[in-house]
Amino acid sequence: MTSSHEHQSSRASYHEKGQTSTNVTVLDERRRAALAEIDNAPFSWFHVKVCLVASVGFFTDAYDIFAINIASVMLGFVYGHTKNQLSTNQSLGVKVATPVGNLVGQVLFGWLADIIGRKRMYGVELMIMIIATFGQALAGEAPAINILGVIIVWRFIMGVGIGGDYPLSAIISSEFAATRSRGRLMTAVFAAQGWGQFGWLIYIISPIAAALVGIIVVEAYKDSILSAPFPCRVPVDHTWRLLIGLGCVPGVIALYFRLTIPETPRFTMDIERNIAQATTDIDNVLTTGKSVQNEDAPVQLVEAPKATRADFRAYFGQWKNLKVLIGTAYSWFALDIAFYGLGLNSSTILTAINFGSPTGGQTSLFVYETLYNICVGNLILSLAGLIPGYWVSFLFIDSWGRKPIQLMGFTVLTILFIIMGFGYDKLNTAGPGRKAFVFLYCLTNFFQNFGPNTTTFVVPGEAFPTRYRSTAHGISAASGKLGAVVSQVGFAQLINIGGKNKFIGHIMEIFALFMFTGIFSTLLIPETKQRSLEDISNEEQEGYIQGVPEATS
């Protein structure tokens, strides 16, 4: 009897193991089928919605970051005590505070998005940006408080929010996108950055753009500036506050849509390990654009690779994975040395080459023409280089590929910076030379965006497994912002060696060196075009589900 009972028990146990094995196999196949459904989904209104919601954030990001380029000139007229301009350290402080905050936000929000969820964090960073932007516009001064110090603090906080937007927007657009159009969708999101840089010019001083807000601001303050005694502190104080404060408007518009965007099915499937819910989400999202969760349904969490310190070391301890992270991080670092070196100092460079030099001496006309000419110069740089570069990348990124575009971009940028650096003195001697310098400047903007500025954003959002995708993107982006900080500090300390703005040519040569090193870091990254995110991750997908615990309600 005992033997018979043991035999039956053994058979039951074997049957249960066999059934469990079957369930694991079924769920593993179900996971792969669900992922294939996302990868092969036709382009729909939901994809447009994701692109628009993420793009508005990047428009706001770029507006808030690069508006300081012109605002720092305005602040100089209002609060500068030496020659109506900010001191070197003051200018450095207001410009570098945001990239430092970006660095913190990118690492922090990148990690949190992999732990807590993309949806739960999306919108939080935007609220931080809105509050900090509003705080800057209302900043005041007191006997114990310097207004520039207040602005620097607010810009750091704003930078934390902006930094969080990088990994979140990249990963959400990446994980919802179909394989064949993923590069274009992510590029379209990032391209809003170009319009953000262009946007602040519209808001302030560019009547030729025919933008309503620009007309209102110009018509409202031009007479006030011209009639005010030099250096026109009151009207210019109003102007910079409007310039900065308007940056929160698109963020407020986008906030509701960010808070209501559904969780990505890949997070639900691979991090929450709830395949049943993820499968339902995919069907709902692709048809209605919404995620519906049945709270009474039993939850069956599968056993799959989970993000832990040991697993992180095991994954990135393999050279094939570590080299990708090194490639994405260093490429972004090298790129941002030049991108932010130019972007945050374009007003300084335009002034140095006497582009659109104002007339009138120490008069209110001088103030108006200075602000106007700097804005027009930046408008030319944006329209002639930045925005076209983004959209040429959009056209070619899914056909030519990310890696060739990045290699080409770094190579061309190396050549352009060598020409601009070693030929700086000769180019700056006469009018035609200055125009040639501006043309070369526009070309660098073009090949930054039709090149590594776009691809360094896209590739980290594709090249890592779901459980580390946001973290790795945050690390890569933070490396870029470290480059931006290094660039700003270096630019501020080097530019006046040998005389005012005399070192700009040599700074261009330094940029050329970093662009050259970017060629080699690009060789470490994989080509990701037309490949599924799971294929790129270097992990075997068959047998990814390792077990099935009992369902819980």
Side-chain angles (χ1 to χ4, degrees), residues 348-414:
T348 302
I349 295 171
L350 289 170
T351 301
I353 63 173
N354 296 314
F355 181 84
S357 299
T359 59
Q362 302 294 299
T363 65
S364 57
L365 179 62
F366 174 85
V367 176
Y368 176 79
E369 289 187 348
T370 296
L371 300 180
Y372 181 86
N373 291 343
I374 287 173
C375 286
V376 170
N378 278 280
L379 176 61
I380 293 170
L381 298 179
S382 292
L383 289 178
L386 290 171
I387 293 172
Y390 283 120
W391 292 105
V392 174
S393 285
F394 176 86
L395 292 175
F396 289 100
I397 196 163
D398 279 321
S399 55
W400 191 14
R402 289 68 153 153
K403 193 170 183 176
I405 290 175
Q406 186 163 309
L407 276 172
M408 177 274 301
F410 272 129
T411 303
V412 174
L413 287 170
T414 301

Side-chain angles (χ1 to χ4, degrees), residues 22 32 34-35 42 120 126 170 176-177 196 213 221 227 350 364 366 372 378 391 418 426 476 492 511 535 545:
T22 301
R32 295 200 302 275
L35 291 171
R120 292 185 182 95
L126 195 56
F176 275 125
V213 177
Y221 288 101
S227 62
L350 289 170
S364 57
F366 174 85
Y372 181 86
N378 278 280
W391 292 105
I418 287 174
K426 290 186 178 180
S476 300
F511 290 167
D535 176 43
I545 305 301

Side-chain angles (χ1 to χ4, degrees), residues 413-432:
L413 287 170
T414 301
I415 296 169
L416 288 173
F417 280 120
I418 287 174
I419 296 171
M420 292 170 70
F422 288 98
Y424 178 78
D425 291 333
K426 290 186 178 180
L427 290 171
N428 197 29
T429 55

Side-chain angles (χ1 to χ4, degrees), residues 52 57 127 144 177 212 367 385 465 495 551:
L52 291 175
M127 286 188 279
L212 178 60
V367 176
I495 187 171

Side-chain angles (χ1 to χ4, degrees), residues 461-481:
E462 304 175 305
F464 305 98
T466 302
R467 64 189 184 279
Y468 297 126
R469 188 170 293 128
S470 185
T471 301
H473 193 284
I475 292 171
S476 300
S479 299
K481 289 306 169 285

Side-chain angles (χ1 to χ4, degrees), residues 175-241:
E175 292 184 348
F176 275 125
T179 300
R180 64 182 173 276
S181 59
R182 188 177 61 238
R184 280 169 289 171
L185 184 68
M186 295 180 73
T187 301
V189 169
F190 195 58
Q193 191 179 68
W195 289 107
Q197 295 173 49
F198 174 65
W200 59 261
L201 295 165
I202 293 176
Y203 276 132
I204 289 302
I205 201 92
S206 183
I208 59 173
L212 178 60
V213 177
I215 294 173
I216 292 172
V217 172
V218 170
E219 292 303 316
Y221 288 101
K222 178 178 179 179
D223 291 341
S224 297
I225 291 173
L226 292 177
S227 62
F230 182 85
C232 314
R233 286 192 173 91
V234 174
V236 175
D237 192 46
H238 290 168
T239 306
W240 80 258
R241 292 178 189 276

Side-chain angles (χ1 to χ4, degrees), residues 19 58 108 150 172 179 227 272 312 405 479 507:
Q19 190 175 31
F58 262 96
L108 178 62
V150 176
I172 286 174
T179 300
S227 62
E272 292 185 335
F312 185 90
I405 290 175
S479 299
I507 290 175

Side-chain angles (χ1 to χ4, degrees), residues 77-312:
F77 283 117
V78 181
Y79 302 107
H81 299 298
T82 304
K83 297 181 180 179
N84 297 300
Q85 60 185 18
L86 299 180
S87 69
T88 298
N89 288 335
Q90 288 173 333
S91 179
L92 174 62
V94 296
K95 289 180 180 179
V96 85
T98 301
V100 172
N102 291 162
L103 193 156
V104 175
Q106 284 159 345
V107 173
L108 178 62
F109 278 85
W111 173 68
L112 287 174
D114 278 341
I115 300 298
I116 299 174
R118 285 75 159 123
K119 173 181 170 58
R120 292 185 182 95
M121 299 310 301
Y122 210 38
V124 174
E125 88 293 357
L126 195 56
M127 286 188 279
I128 294 173
M129 290 160 51
I130 292 168
I131 293 169
T133 301
F134 199 62
Q136 289 175 72
L138 298 179
E141 193 165 24
I145 301 174
N146 184 287
I147 189 171
L148 294 176
V150 176
I151 292 172
I152 288 169
V153 170
W154 278 121
R155 289 195 66 77
F156 170 81
I157 296 171
M158 182 188 73
V160 173
I162 291 174
D165 202 37
Y166 276 72
L168 284 166
S169 290
I171 302 311
I172 286 174
S173 56
S174 170
E175 292 184 348
F176 275 125
T179 300
R180 64 182 173 276
S181 59
R182 188 177 61 238
R184 280 169 289 171
L185 184 68
M186 295 180 73
T187 301
V189 169
F190 195 58
Q193 191 179 68
W195 289 107
Q197 295 173 49
F198 174 65
W200 59 261
L201 295 165
I202 293 176
Y203 276 132
I204 289 302
I205 201 92
S206 183
I208 59 173
L212 178 60
V213 177
I215 294 173
I216 292 172
V217 172
V218 170
E219 292 303 316
Y221 288 101
K222 178 178 179 179
D223 291 341
S224 297
I225 291 173
L226 292 177
S227 62
F230 182 85
C232 314
R233 286 192 173 91
V234 174
V236 175
D237 192 46
H238 290 168
T239 306
W240 80 258
R241 292 178 189 276
L242 273 173
L243 168 64
I244 296 295
L246 287 169
C248 69
V249 174
V252 171
I253 296 171
L255 183 58
Y256 168 78
F257 298 99
R258 289 207 167 186
L259 294 174
T260 57
I261 201 166
E263 182 59 86
T264 69
R266 280 183 163 93
F267 179 86
T268 304
M269 189 180 303
D270 288 352
I271 297 180
E272 292 185 335
R273 294 169 292 138
N274 188 345
I275 292 179
Q277 180 63 48
T279 304
T280 303
D281 287 348
I282 292 170
D283 294 335
N284 289 330
V285 163
L286 294 179
T287 54
T288 67
K290 298 180 180 179
S291 174
V292 180
Q293 189 164 2
N294 183 359
E295 295 182 357
D296 297 327
V299 178
Q300 188 174 42
L301 302 181
V302 300
E303 294 178 2
K306 189 176 181 181
T308 63
R309 289 184 181 180
D311 182 73
F312 185 90

